[in-house]
C-alpha cells in the first residue's frame, strides 16, 4: 500500500515540476509605427484588407498560430517567415487575442488589452519580445563561473550577460488547463469461473482534470476522480450486486486536433491507477449477506484507459473514456462525461 501511494506522489510531483519548464515570458509587446511594412511583405485577408504584422523575437521556432492567423497565399513563401532573429506573424485587423505554439516551449496566449493595445490594426507593425527565464538563469550561472576564474577583467561582460529585462504584465499562458468533469459510469467486472457472466451496473464519476500542453498537438492528460464501479451477477441461484468507490488517477498521452477556434477533438490513451475507498456486495435474492467489497477484493486497481473528447469554445468538454482493469478482478468501465475547462 505504501509503495502505491509513494508512486502516486512521485508522479504528481513530476507533473508539477514539468509545468515549470520551457515557458516563455513576455518582456514587451508594443506598437511600432517606426517599422514600416514593405509593400512586398504585406499580407491581406479574404476581404482584401491589410493584415497587422506581429514581429516576434523568441529563442524558438513558432510552429503554428491560433486566432485570426492569415497564412501565406503563395506556397513558395512560408506562413511564418523568418527575418534574421525575427519571425513574422500576420493577423487580421481587429484581432484582440491570439496564441503562439512553439517547437520546444509551451504555447503562449497573448491578450492585447493586457499591454494597452485595444486591438490590432491593419498594415501596422507590433513587436513582441519573449525570453525564457530558465535560459537566463543558466547564462547567469555560466557568467558567474567565468567571472570567478577570469577575475575583474570580465566584469563588464558579466554584467551585460546577467542583466534581466523588466517584465511587463504577462498574459494568461494556457500551458496547463484545469477543469471539472462529471458524468455517468457503466461498469462491470470480469472474474474467472463461476463469476464469468457479470452484467453492467451504473454509477457516476466527478473530479478535477489537468491537461498539459507539450507541443502544438501533444498533451499529457491526467486528473483525480471519484469514480463508482461494480457489477451485477445472476445465474438463477445467486443474485448479487457489488458497488465499489475509487479514486482514479489516469495518465494519458493525448493528441488534440484543433479544427477551428471554437472546436477541437482530443484522443488519448495510457495507464491508470486507482485506490479503493469503500463499497459492498449484497445478496439481492435471499438477503443472506452484505459484506464490504474490499474484504473480498484488493483495494488497489490498475489498467489501461482510452478516451475521446470534444472541446467546444475552448471551455466546454463532452467525452467518453473506457477502462480495462488488469488486477486480479478485471474492472471494465465506460464513462460518459461533460465538463468545463478554466
Amino acid at each position: 500500500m505504501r509503495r502505491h501511494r509513494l508512486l502516486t506522489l512521485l508522479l504528481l510531483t513530476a507533473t508539477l515540476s514539468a509545468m515549470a519548464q520551457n515557458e516563455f515570458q513576455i518582456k514587451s509587446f508594443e506598437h511600432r509605427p517606426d517599422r514600416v511594412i514593405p509593400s512586398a511583405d504585406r499580407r491581406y485577408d479574404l476581404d482584401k484588407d491589410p493584415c497587422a504584422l506581429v514581429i516576434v523575437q523568441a529563442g524558438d521556432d513558432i510552429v503554428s498560430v491560433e486566432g485570426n492567423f492569415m497564412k501565406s497565399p503563395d506556397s513558395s513563401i512560408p506562413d511564418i517567415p523568418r527575418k534574421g532573429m525575427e519571425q513574422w506573424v500576420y493577423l487580421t485587423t481587429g484581432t484582440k487575442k491570439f496564441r503562439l505554439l512553439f517547437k520546444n516551449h509551451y504555447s503562449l496566449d497573448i491578450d492585447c488589452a493586457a499591454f494597452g493595445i485595444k486591438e490590432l490594426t491593419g498594415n501596422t507593425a507590433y513587436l513582441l519580445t519573449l525570453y525564457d527565464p530558465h535560459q537566463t538563469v543558466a547564462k547567469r550561472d555560466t557568467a558567474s563561473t567565468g567571472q570567478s576564474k577570469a577575475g575583474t577583467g570580465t566584469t563588464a561582460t558579466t554584467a551585460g550577460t546577467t542583466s534581466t529585462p523588466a517584465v511587463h504584465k504577462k498574459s494568461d499562458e494556457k500551458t496547463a488547463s484545469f477543469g471539472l468533469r462529471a458524468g455517468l459510469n457503466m461498469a462491470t467486472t470480469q472474474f474467472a469461473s463461476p463469476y464469468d457472466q457479470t452484467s453492467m451496473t451504473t454509477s457516476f464519476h466527478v473530479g478535477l482534470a489537468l491537461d498539459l500542453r507539450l507541443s502544438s498537438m501533444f498533451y499529457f492528460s491526467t486528473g483525480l476522480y471519484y469514480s463508482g464501479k461494480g457489477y451485477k451477477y445472476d445465474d438463477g441461484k445467486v443474485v448479487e450486486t457489488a458497488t465499489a468507490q475509487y479514486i482514479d488517477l489516469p495518465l494519458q498521452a493525448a493528441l488534440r486536433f484543433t479544427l477551428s477556434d471554437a472546436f477541437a477533438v482530443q484522443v488519448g490513451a495510457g495507464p491508470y491507477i486507482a485506490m479503493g475507498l469503500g463499497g459492498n456486495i449484497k445478496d439481492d435474492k435471499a438477503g443472506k449477506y452484505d459484506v464490504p467489497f474490499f474484504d473480498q477484493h484488493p483495494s488497489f486497481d490498475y489498467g489501461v484507459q482510452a478516451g475521446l473528447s470534444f472541446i467546444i469554445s475552448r471551455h466546454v468538454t463532452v467525452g467518453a473514456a473506457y477502462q480495462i482493469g488488469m488486477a486480479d478482478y478485471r474492472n471494465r468501465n465506460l464513462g460518459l462525461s461533460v465538463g468545463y475547462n478554466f
Side-chain angles (χ1 to χ4, degrees), residues 123-258:
N123 202 27
T124 303
Y126 301 84
L127 180 62
L128 175 62
T129 306
L130 309 177
Y131 76 98
D132 185 335
H134 298 92
Q135 292 179 356
T136 302
V137 170
K139 289 180 180 179
R140 182 184 300 125
D141 292 341
T142 301
S144 298
T145 302
Q147 182 181 16
S148 64
K149 290 182 178 180
T152 57
T154 59
T155 301
T157 303
T158 302
T161 305
T162 60
S163 61
T164 303
V167 181
H168 292 247
K169 185 175 180 181
K170 184 181 175 183
S171 68
D172 294 332
E173 298 184 16
K174 295 297 184 181
T175 59
S177 175
F178 293 88
L180 299 176
R181 301 287 186 273
L184 174 70
N185 281 354
M186 294 174 281
T188 186
T189 302
Q190 289 187 353
F191 292 101
S193 180
Y195 289 85
D196 54 358
Q197 298 297 326
T198 58
S199 59
M200 181 184 69
T201 185
T202 58
S203 186
F204 72 94
H205 65 269
V206 62
L208 299 173
L210 170 62
D211 285 335
L212 298 177
R213 181 190 286 271
L214 304 179
S215 70
S216 60
M217 292 179 60
F218 292 95
Y219 284 74
F220 173 68
S221 183
T222 185
L224 284 175
Y225 301 89
Y226 175 89
S227 185
K229 303 173 188 179
Y231 64 87
K232 290 183 178 179
Y233 177 75
D234 183 356
D235 66 354
K237 298 179 181 179
V238 176
V239 181
E240 68 180 29
T241 299
T243 59
Q245 293 79 45
Y246 293 86
I247 291 293
D248 282 6
L249 174 66
L251 303 165
Q252 293 192 104
L255 283 173
R256 181 176 296 184
F257 302 93
T258 302

Side-chain angles (χ1 to χ4, degrees), residues 69-85:
F69 174 57
M70 185 57 58
K71 296 182 177 181
S72 172
D74 187 343
S75 59
S76 65
I77 300 176
D79 292 335
I80 306 173
R82 179 179 283 278
K83 309 282 187 177
M85 298 298 293

